[in-house]
């Protein structure tokens, strides 16, 4: 073999091989990771993928999903051209049309709905993808609609709501500098691998770890103390820990006296939550609760690591997390280095020490100048604290037309299987007048759209990202968009032009809008283009500790609120309790004992698997081969009493519906709990939930605790 042939075989970059290394980022999962990629490109084809060493997140590493980037990008399920529906909704019958025709038609329809039914009759939606959000958000409001909706109606925002009710602002753990990390329901070894490496490094320098999780996971394997509670009982566990901290005088007197509101009432309320009562409710031994409370309160500084989802995927989720976050105030670990530090977001929810005008950019029209948002009447606290509509109420409003009709939806990556009672969401999509979906792939939901537009993937586009590590990148396309696909941002700005919005920034275009957002930092897109692998932020904002001393807290009382004055305002009309009270999940042995007789097991869903991210990588051969079939996890003790062995086909039923899956026997789930991953097309666990099985404060679905029954159907 010639030298060049050898080099080609080895995929060695250089002039003789024509292979170049292009820098990009992976956004198969998004937005906290955004790992850097080295893409080996020859003739506009990616032939090899590596982690990029310069990137401060992944430092050269890649997870199972990122390593399969080529199979994701070159999937045969990629959408190739704009498509117009020719058959009935869901039939999958479409005909190819041009971009011109598609965008003209969308603009004409949306303008028509706006003039007939008002701009609020058009909803704009974005799924798990985050990068395009500021632009879609502005487009929505410039169009005049208050209805900007996202997947954050089931993710993260309820956690932030709990933090905002307590402290007025969101906060996160300072893992690098803490001496005790209380991981309250997170498993970064599967959900955020770059963070897992940072936790291991902190453990090496002596950091203690407490993990609260109903299952055993790689994270609990690292714990000094694992509190294996029953799903949905987090509030009771936190209140029992508060009981120990208060009654043993382990609290921070100065912080409580000077900076908190409602401590007396809270201290009185927690008296009933003795460690013994905590044990009764949560299943965690009283001694362990005491031990964990002492370790957390006595180690300084200590930080609580929250998750975007599991705690708030319970019908009592916001109050449970409020109880958990009260522990931060009790121990004075708020807004300090090594505690729960407040690092304000720079761009798309990620802090990066970069001053931006994102907030000003997205709110081109004030909510007060527009009609109420979807879900606002049902979830008023959501609407006070989150600048989006609550998408869980969307199917209801599409179907009922109340408080006003929703006629059209422009969605970027919508998956109806995200909603509880996902069939109900699909029915709503069948009833809506006009539905457009922009996605990378042909999906089951896209088949219901009137028009489908093909988006390109992250390696085919340019996007701006800030990193918590004070790093910033504006990527360049590593390859040209495949087929006739386009970047979501180009689609949004092109459509914006056609919608006659008279919006100077939408008219100025994508990069001009980014320059506008970045203007306070004096960083420009032109400068960023000179650094394809990204660059450290040169003069990052210096964020001081204990900002509350000078600024107070952004709560009604100006203090940290054990007793929420926002919730108190809704006490009469909505029955919200101002204290972080504990009530069992709506469907539970404690609340609905008669149901529990028929449905004796707890259904817990959606714990992350390392190779899947929602529905996205089921279609990728490398990742799907690791778990080719939908499976439900059962403890061997439960399996034995139900006469079930590994691989048997089982039926899981709830008061709502039933599904059929294979049984996976594992000690990782506790007896009495069945766990099942979500988003499978052939065994969609979200069909088992009622569409109204929601937390009354946030509107988040109770995905982590419902009652169910398991029966054997076919022996393996
Ligand atoms: N039972 C249960 N249900 C759950 C959960 C659970 O734990 N249990 N978790 C919930 C949580 S926390 C979340 S965040 C949601 C996630 O729910 P979804 O946001 O619905 O997640 P996906 O299934 O990934 O759907 C996103 C779609 O976006 C498309 N997409 C990907 N990248 C792009 C892009 O760059 N542009 C465009 N236009 N489209 C793109 C994908 O192909 C996919 O079709 O699921 C929720 N559902
Ligand atoms: N590989 C992969 N990574 C992902 C995702 C993915 O789909 N795949 N999704 C991304 C998204 S959208 C999100 S929101 C994050 C989620 O990130 P994480 O929260 O870290 O991940 P999960 O596995 O959903 O949940 C963490 C743990 O919470 C536990 N848990 C379940 N119910 C309860 C409960 O009631 N109380 C308590 N205390 N714990 C409970 C589960 O057993 C699980 O081990 O992951 C992100 N990263
Ligand atoms: Mo999420």
């Amino acid at each position: 073999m010639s030298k060049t042939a050898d080099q080609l075989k080895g995929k060695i970059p250089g002039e003789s091989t024509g292979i170049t290394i292009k820098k990009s980022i992976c956004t198969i999962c998004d937005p906290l990771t955004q790992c850097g990629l080295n893409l080996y490109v020859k003739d506009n084809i990616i032939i090899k993928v590596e982690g990029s060493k310069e990137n401060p997140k992944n430092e050269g590493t890649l997870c199972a999903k990122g390593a399969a980037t080529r199979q994701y990008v070159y999937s045969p399920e990629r959408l190739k051209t704009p498509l117009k529906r020719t058959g009935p909704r869901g039939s999958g019958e479409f005909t190819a049309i041009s971009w011109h025709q598609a965008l003209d038609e969308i603009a004409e329809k949306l303008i028509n709905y706006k003039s007939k039914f008002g701009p609020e009759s058009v909803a704009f939606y974005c799924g798990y993808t985050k990068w395009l959000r500021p632009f879609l958000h502005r487009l929505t409001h410039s169009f005049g609609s208050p209805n900007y909706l996202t997947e954050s109606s089931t993710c993260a925002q309820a956690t932030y709501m709990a933090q905002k009710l307590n402290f007025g602002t969101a906060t996160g753990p300072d893992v690098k500098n803490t001496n005790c990390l209380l991981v309250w329901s997170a498993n970064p070894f599967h959900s955020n691998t770059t963070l897992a490496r940072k936790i291991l490094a902190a453990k090496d320098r002596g950091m203690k770890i407490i993990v609260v999780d109903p299952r055993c996971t790689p994270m609990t394997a690292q714990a000094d103390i694992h509190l294996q509670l029953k799903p949905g009982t987090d509030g009771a566990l936190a209140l029992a820990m508060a009981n120990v901290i208060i009654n043993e005088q382990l609290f921070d007197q100065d912080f409580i006296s000077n900076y908190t509101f409602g401590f007396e009432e809270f201290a009185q309320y927690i008296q009933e939550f003795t460690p013994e009562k905590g044990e009764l409710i949560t299943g965690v031994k009283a001694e362990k609760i005491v031990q964990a409370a002492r370790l957390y309160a006595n180690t300084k500084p200590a930080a609580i690591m929250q998750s975007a989802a599991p705690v708030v995927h319970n019908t009592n989720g916001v109050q449970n997390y409020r109880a958990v976050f009260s522990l931060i105030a009790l121990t004075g670990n708020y807004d300090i280095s090594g505690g729960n530090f407040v690092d304000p977001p720079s761009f798309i929810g990620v802090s990066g020490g970069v001053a931006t005008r994102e907030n000003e950019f997205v709110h081109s029209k004030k909510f007060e100048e527009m009609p109420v948002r979807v879900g606002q009447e049902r979830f008023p606290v959501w609407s006070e604290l989150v600048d989006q509509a609550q998408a869980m109420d969307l199917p209801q409003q599409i179907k009922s037309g109340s408080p006003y009709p929703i006629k059209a939806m422009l969605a970027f990556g919508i998956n109806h299987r995200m909603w509880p009672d996902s069939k109900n969401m699909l029915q709503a999509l069948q009833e809506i007048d006009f539905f457009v979906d922009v996605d990378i792939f042909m999906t089951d939901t896209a088949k219901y759209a009137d028009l489908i537009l093909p988006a390109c993937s992250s390696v085919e586009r340019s996007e701006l990202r800030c990193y918590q590590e004070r790093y910033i990148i504006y990527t360049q396309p590593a390859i040209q968009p495949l087929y006739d696909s386009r970047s979501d941002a180009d689609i949004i700005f092109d459509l914006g032009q056609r919608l006659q919005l008279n919006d100077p920034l939408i008219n100025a275009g994508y990069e001009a809008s980014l320059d506008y957002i970045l203007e306070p930092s004096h960083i420009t897109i032109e400068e960023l283009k000179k650094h394809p692998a990204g660059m450290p932020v040169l003069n990052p904002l210096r964020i001081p500790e204990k900002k509350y001393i000078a600024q107070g807290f952004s709560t009604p009382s100006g203090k940290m609120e054990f007793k929420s004055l926002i919730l108190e305002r809704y006490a009469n009309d909505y029955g919200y309790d101002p204290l972080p009270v504990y009530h069992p999940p709506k469907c539970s042995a404690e609340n609905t004992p008669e149901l529990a007789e028929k449905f004796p097991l707890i259904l817990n869903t959606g714990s992350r698997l390392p190779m899947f991210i929602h529905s996205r990588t089921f279609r990728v051969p490398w990742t799907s081969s690791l778990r080719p079939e939908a499976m439900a996890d059962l403890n061997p003790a439960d399996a034995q009493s139900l006469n079930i062995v590994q691989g048997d086909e089982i039926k899981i039923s709830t008061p709502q519906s039933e599904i059929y899956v294979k049984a996976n026997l594992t000690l990782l789930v506790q007896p009495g709990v069945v766990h099942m991953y979500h988003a499978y097309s052939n065994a969609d666990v979200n069909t088992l939930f009622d569409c109204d099985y929601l937390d009354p404060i946030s509107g988040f679905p109770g995905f982590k605790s419902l009652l169910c029954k398991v029966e054997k159907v076919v022996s393996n």
Side-chain angles (χ1 to χ4, degrees):
M1 223 191 307
S2 75
K3 193 172 164 207
T4 306
D6 265 353
Q7 286 175 336
L8 264 174
K9 203 170 166 216
K11 299 181 181 168
I12 298 183
E15 249 171 54
S16 61
T17 56
I19 298 171
T20 49
I21 298 182
K22 304 272 177 132
K23 300 284 178 182
S24 188
I25 58 172
C26 172
T27 58
I28 296 176
C29 51
D30 191 15
L32 291 171
T33 37
Q34 49 207 39
C35 296
L37 295 177
N38 283 355
L39 299 167
Y40 290 61
V41 176
K42 183 174 164 58
D43 305 328
N44 199 38
I45 296 172
I46 301 166
I47 57 167
K48 178 179 161 178
V49 180
E50 272 174 1
S52 148
K53 287 216 170 66
E54 301 92 324
N55 190 289
K57 273 288 172 211
N58 56 321
E59 297 169 310
T61 62
L62 277 184
C63 79
K65 294 169 264 106
T69 292
R70 291 176 63 237
Q71 293 188 346
Y72 186 80
V73 172
Y74 295 112
S75 162
E77 289 175 50
R78 281 283 300 258
L79 289 163
K80 297 187 172 63
T81 66
L83 296 171
K84 189 177 159 85
R85 190 164 55 80
T86 49
R89 281 194 167 151
S91 64
E93 292 164 33
F94 290 90
T95 183
I97 58 171
S98 71
W99 276 102
H100 258 284
Q101 191 187 340
L103 292 175
D104 283 349
E105 194 168 313
I106 295 167
E108 191 193 316
K109 291 255 191 193
L110 298 193
I111 290 171
N112 204 13
Y113 288 116
K114 182 174 175 169
S115 69
K116 273 206 186 130
F117 302 96
E120 66 276 15
S121 67
V122 181
F124 296 79
Y125 176 87
C126 182
Y128 186 55
T129 307
K130 306 283 191 294
W131 82 282
L132 58 91
R133 289 190 179 186
F135 320 109
L136 185 68
H137 200 162
R138 184 174 178 101
L139 183 82
T140 309
H141 296 333
S142 292
F143 183 78
S145 175
N147 291 320
Y148 167 71
L149 308 121
T150 73
E151 130 291 359
S152 303
S153 294
T154 65
C155 183
Q157 289 297 344
T159 297
Y160 299 146
M161 282 175 77
Q163 296 185 333
K164 288 178 187 173
L165 288 167
N166 284 15
F167 298 101
T169 183
T171 158
D174 178 5
V175 174
K176 202 170 161 199
N177 298 305
T178 196
N179 288 324
C180 176
L181 191 65
L182 170 49
V183 180
W184 207 295
S185 80
N187 176 24
F189 289 85
H190 290 177
S191 66
N192 187 344
T193 48
T194 61
L195 175 62
R197 287 192 300 118
K198 287 174 188 174
I199 291 175
L200 289 177
K203 193 183 174 190
D204 282 347
R205 62 159 173 79
M207 180 183 79
K208 296 282 182 219
I209 301 178
I210 307 168
V211 184
V212 181
D213 196 312
R215 299 182 315 131
C216 296
T217 70
M219 186 69 244
T220 63
Q222 298 296 329
D224 296 281
I225 305 175
H226 174 196
L227 304 173
Q228 194 172 11
L229 80 181
K230 280 193 219 151
T233 63
D234 300 85
L237 180 63
L239 295 171
M241 286 176 71
N243 180 297
V244 176
I245 293 172
I246 292 174
N247 291 338
E248 295 190 5
Q249 310 262 322
L250 305 179
F251 54 85
D252 183 326
Q253 185 64 60
D254 172 62
F255 188 86
I256 286 171
S257 316
N258 294 311
Y259 304 109
T260 68
F261 173 79
F263 175 69
E264 295 302 324
E265 281 162 84
F266 178 72
Q268 211 172 353
Y269 176 64
I270 55 90
Q271 288 310 321
E272 67 174 279
F273 288 90
T274 58
E276 291 69 31
K277 180 161 174 188
E279 173 172 338
L280 212 62
I281 300 174
T282 65
V284 179
K285 289 261 171 281
E287 308 87 82
K288 265 199 164 179
I289 299 178
V290 174
Q291 201 193 353
R294 287 180 185 156
L295 181 62
Y296 169 70
N298 286 329
T299 316
K300 303 286 178 192
I304 295 184
M305 191 168 104
Q306 77 266 16
S307 165
V311 172
V312 287
H313 281 172
N314 285 292
T315 54
N316 51 7
V318 168
Q319 289 291 40
N320 282 356
Y321 244 166
R322 282 192 64 225
V324 172
F325 299 137
S326 297
L327 302 176
I328 302 172
L330 282 182
T331 52
N333 278 304
Y334 184 70
D335 207 12
I336 57 167
S337 167
N340 283 82
F341 187 63
V342 179
D343 191 7
S346 288
F347 191 56
I348 321 182
V350 179
S351 58
V354 180
T356 63
R357 291 196 275 188
E358 183 187 0
N359 210 31
E360 200 181 313
F361 175 81
V362 301
H363 292 293
S364 49
K365 193 167 184 183
K366 290 199 175 75
F367 279 120
E368 299 82 70
E369 298 163 11
M370 297 183 273
V372 289
R373 282 169 262 172
V374 168
Q376 184 157 354
E377 291 178 349
R378 198 165 163 208
F379 305 106
V381 175
W382 163 279
S383 297
E384 276 197 38
L385 300 176
V386 183
D387 63 354
Q388 304 182 5
Q390 195 1 317
M392 292 302 111
D393 217 31
L394 184 64
Q396 178 281 119
Q397 188 162 339
I398 293 174
K399 286 178 158 194
S400 71
S402 169
Y404 54 79
I406 298 290
K407 290 288 180 188
M409 177 157 66
L410 172 62
F412 287 75
I414 187 169
N415 180 359
H416 69 278
R417 294 199 176 93
M418 183 187 93
W419 273 259
D421 191 357
S422 40
K423 282 188 185 148
N424 178 55
M425 180 57 192
L426 203 56
Q427 259 168 19
L429 290 176
Q430 240 159 341
E431 288 175 28
I432 199 165
D433 262 26
F434 183 59
F435 166 35
V436 180
D437 190 20
V438 186
D439 205 303
I440 303 177
F441 307 102
M442 176 57 94
T443 68
D444 291 348
T445 316
K447 287 182 186 152
Y448 284 74
D450 298 290
L451 283 164
I452 308 178
L453 305 179
C456 64
S457 71
S458 66
V459 300
E460 299 153 71
R461 68 190 180 213
S462 284
E463 63 185 89
L464 176 73
R465 293 292 179 152
C466 289
Y467 290 82
Q468 209 177 4
E469 292 81 0
R470 277 51 186 158
Y471 196 81
I472 184 165
I473 188 169
Y474 182 64
T475 60
Q476 296 299 303
I479 54 170
Q480 288 312 302
L482 295 182
Y483 321 109
D484 205 6
S485 68
R486 297 186 70 195
S487 131
D488 297 287
D490 289 348
I491 298 170
I492 291 169
F493 281 86
D494 250 20
L495 188 64
Q497 302 269 358
R498 286 171 160 83
L499 287 172
Q500 300 155 16
L501 303 178
N502 215 3
D503 176 329
L505 283 172
I506 294 278
N507 291 345
Y510 175 50
E511 291 191 351
S513 291
L514 286 174
D515 273 330
Y516 173 88
I517 291 170
L518 285 173
E519 205 263 346
S521 68
H522 308 296
I523 300 171
T524 62
I525 292 296
E526 197 189 340
E527 173 68 16
L528 287 170
K529 281 183 179 168
K530 294 181 197 147
H531 304 271
M535 62 181 206
V537 176
L538 287 182
N539 295 303
L541 291 173
R542 293 179 60 84
I543 316 285
E545 291 188 19
K546 298 193 180 181
K547 295 176 273 298
Y548 56 83
I549 295 179
Q551 300 165 7
F553 291 81
S554 316
T555 53
S557 65
K559 298 192 164 189
M560 179 275 156
E561 297 189 352
F562 287 107
K563 182 180 167 190
S564 164
L565 291 176
I566 294 182
L567 292 180
E568 190 170 58
R569 262 197 279 126
Y570 296 97
N572 284 338
D573 293 342
Y574 287 83
Y576 300 157
D577 204 308
L579 287 173
V581 294
Y582 176 73
H583 294 297
K586 271 190 209 165
C587 261
S588 55
E590 295 74 19
N591 235 5
T592 50
E594 64 302 336
L595 264 186
E597 269 184 33
K598 262 182 90 183
F599 300 96
L601 298 168
I602 298 174
L603 178 65
N604 180 256
T605 70
S607 290
R608 289 1 181 190
L609 291 167
M611 63 292 201
F612 293 140
I613 178 133
H614 309 300
S615 67
R616 293 179 182 196
T617 51
F618 289 145
R619 61 173 62 80
V620 173
W622 278 0
T623 49
S624 61
S625 68
L626 297 169
R627 193 185 255 218
E629 283 181 301
M631 287 181 142
D633 302 327
L634 271 177
N635 187 280
D638 291 329
Q640 197 180 19
S641 66
L642 295 164
N643 192 25
I644 292 168
V645 300
Q646 178 72 18
D648 278 353
E649 188 176 341
I650 56 171
K651 176 167 98 173
I652 306 178
S653 37
T654 65
Q656 173 74 17
S657 188
E658 56 198 41
I659 57 169
Y660 295 82
V661 281
K662 290 272 160 70
N664 182 40
L665 273 50
T666 169
L667 290 165
L668 301 182
V669 296
Q670 57 182 290
V673 178
V674 183
H675 171 262
M676 165 98 194
Y677 192 70
H678 60 295
Y680 280 106
S681 56
N682 57 348
D684 175 4
V685 78
N686 284 7
T687 58
L688 298 181
F689 292 84
D690 184 296
C691 60
D692 289 326
Y693 193 60
L694 307 173
D695 178 313
I697 300 176
S698 64
F700 270 42
F703 286 142
K704 298 291 186 268
S705 50
L706 180 68
L707 292 172
C708 75
K709 181 166 78 174
V710 169
E711 292 158 278
K712 175 173 172 145
V713 180
V714 183
S715 290
N716 178 15

